[in-house]
Amino acid sequence: MLLLDLTHTSHTQARTGVQRVARSLHAGLGNRAEPICYDHYLREWRRLAGWERSNLAANGSAAVKRGAKWPWSAQVAGKWRRKLGWGPGPGRRLPDGATGLIMPEFFSPAVGAAVPGLRAHLQGPAIAVFHDAIALRLPEISPVRTVGRYPGYLQELLQFDGIAATTADTRETLVDYWKWLRVENPPPVETIRLGVDPIAPGVAQPLPTDLQEPTILCVGTIEGRKNHLALLEACETLWAKGRRFRLHLIGMALAETGSRALARIRDLQAAGRPLRYDGPVDDDALHAAYAACAFTVYPSLMEGFGIPVIESLEHGRPCICSGRGALGESARGGGCVPLDAVDPGSLAAAIGALLGEPARIAALAHEAEHRSFPTWSDYTRGIADWLDTLKR
């Protein structure tokens, strides 16, 4: 029996990249893994309660916030059980002799400090999934708390027996950081690329036949590093020149680093530009948005993986994105327009070129349709197989 830490994911219905990884591992491992969490009020590790397991099934819902939410009753129960020395209680205590531990989330200082105690329950290796180091590489447009957390987090990763990086670029970033710190004998870092949900028959649709005023789709959280301001300025440049197209934005908004983009969205809408912003949506609405668009743009400056690029290709829709780093890894193989820079000028040139060449859109769509990607089942199998090779 493996232990699967879902401390954050079991307390939110958000569907960011990290939550997708966590939920997919939970679904793929099934009865082979016991989902657990660190109860901040009890201050102990425990098995999940029923309401926490319900959050794990929130694959199709749309949440407006990605923060963890603990009901008042759970907070009080945890505090009282701690004060009375009752611990997690029957049915919530961790199983003894677990054969391994998987931690797929970016964890908090409290969780990181509690890992050594959790390892006392293990008879096998512990691995963590490393998603990115963007807060270190782009601190000026990352949340302040995340920037402050990252140095400690990267140090705490050293206590694991192995680290599963999402891309080769992500792996190189972590390995280079530890070399810079002159860490001796760091744990092995393996690249295990993330999966994608296979598109059910009938969901992926042919390209729209009317490309006189096509829809361009952008899926991604509205935050600084996603670079929506550059996309909006690129589109405004094209609209001002009389180019006809609609821009459709989907994604949760993070006020701390995305407020300027939100304000610009409102300004452009007030000016009558054909711009639609839906916020977060459920799976059905997301599939419908991909079906309605001619191509997508993912203007992000930096990613640990970039799931929306792969999702776009899975739906048979070309994607304009950065050709560097982790996004460049996904762009290689066809269906994408990789850019050296994702500034307003470069984005406007790439969008304008596709708008003027319907045949190129069709050719890129054909390339996208013939690409294949690992599924979440493949990813889960890769994680489990690699875990088996590690020794404590």
Side-chain angles (χ1 to χ4, degrees):
M1 173 67 71
L2 300 171
L3 298 181
L4 179 64
D5 172 35
L6 299 175
T7 298
H8 185 82
T9 305
S10 61
H11 298 96
T12 181
Q13 293 192 359
R15 296 166 58 242
T16 64
V18 174
Q19 273 74 62
R20 290 193 182 199
V21 173
R23 289 194 175 98
S24 296
L25 282 171
H26 173 252
L29 291 169
N31 293 331
R32 289 179 290 166
E34 179 70 36
I36 63 171
C37 74
Y38 180 73
D39 190 322
H40 296 274
Y41 303 94
L42 180 65
R43 297 182 188 172
E44 287 190 34
W45 293 94
R46 61 168 174 77
R47 303 178 195 231
L48 299 186
W51 64 273
E52 292 164 323
R53 289 176 177 270
S54 295
N55 276 331
L56 300 180
N59 285 326
S61 62
V64 297
K65 294 182 179 181
R66 63 182 180 187
K69 182 178 180 181
W70 289 71
W72 177 83
S73 57
Q75 298 179 36
V76 171
K79 290 179 180 178
W80 274 107
R81 298 194 74 87
R82 172 167 54 87
K83 289 181 179 180
L84 294 172
W86 290 353
R92 297 285 176 263
R93 299 186 188 280
L94 297 184
D96 290 322
T99 57
L101 167 67
I102 303 173
M103 296 187 68
E105 303 175 336
F106 169 58
F107 49 82
S108 68
V111 171
V115 170
L118 178 58
R119 296 200 62 164
H121 294 267
L122 299 181
Q123 293 182 353
I127 65 172
V129 176
F130 181 61
H131 296 271
D132 63 70
I134 295 169
L136 283 182
R137 299 169 71 180
L138 296 175
E140 67 279 8
I141 53 175
S142 299
V144 173
R145 289 182 61 185
T146 305
V147 173
R149 168 64 182 140
Y150 250 80
Y153 167 67
L154 296 181
Q155 287 276 9
E156 289 163 8
L157 289 178
L158 292 169
Q159 66 188 306
F160 290 87
D161 298 299
I163 307 298
T166 55
T167 60
D169 178 74
T170 302
R171 179 191 180 278
E172 183 179 352
T173 299
L174 180 59
V175 170
D176 286 348
Y177 180 78
W178 282 341
K179 286 181 180 178
W180 177 70
L181 290 180
R182 298 183 179 178
V183 173
E184 295 184 5
N185 300 316
V189 184
E190 184 81 0
T191 299
I192 304 178
R193 288 184 62 84
L194 301 183
V196 64
D197 293 318
I199 305 301
V203 173
Q205 299 293 321
L207 279 172
T209 55
D210 182 9
L211 296 179
Q212 295 302 308
E213 190 173 354
T215 294
I216 300 171
L217 177 66
C218 176
V219 178
T221 309
I222 308 294
E223 58 179 311
R225 70 178 174 88
K226 299 293 187 181
N227 202 29
H228 286 83
L229 274 174
L231 173 61
L232 293 169
E233 294 312 310
C235 289
E236 171 59 12
T237 297
L238 294 169
W239 283 324
K241 293 179 179 179
R243 303 301 295 269
R244 297 177 59 191
F245 65 94
R246 296 178 294 271
L247 178 62
H248 186 184
L249 304 179
I250 288 176
M252 181 188 307
L254 301 184
E256 183 178 353
T257 63
S259 58
R260 291 177 59 202
L262 289 172
R264 187 60 174 145
I265 290 170
R266 291 191 292 268
D267 289 343
L268 290 172
Q269 289 175 327
R273 296 306 191 191
L275 168 57
R276 171 181 171 183
Y277 172 49
D278 288 348
V281 301
D282 61 23
D283 284 347
D284 289 343
L286 183 62
H287 290 313
Y290 277 117
C293 77
F295 60 90
T296 69
V297 182
Y298 194 60
S300 180
L301 295 168
M302 187 179 296
E303 291 292 320
F305 186 79
I307 290 177
V309 174
I310 304 300
E311 285 184 338
S312 179
L313 299 174
E314 275 280 282
H315 283 83
R317 296 301 183 264
C319 182
I320 298 172
C321 65
S322 172
R324 298 179 179 273
L327 291 172
E329 292 181 42
S330 295
R332 289 193 288 271
C336 288
V337 179
L339 304 179
D340 288 332
V342 282
D343 56 79
S346 299
L347 288 168
I351 294 170
L354 282 190
L355 290 174
E357 298 184 54
R360 188 181 178 204
I361 296 176
L364 288 169
H366 181 76
E367 292 177 2
E369 291 167 357
H370 285 78
R371 289 190 61 176
S372 60
F373 304 98
T375 65
W376 285 117
S377 294
D378 295 328
Y379 177 72
T380 300
R381 190 179 307 110
I383 288 285
D385 289 347
W386 184 56
L387 183 65
D388 288 340
T389 69
L390 299 175
K391 304 293 183 181
R392 286 193 65 178

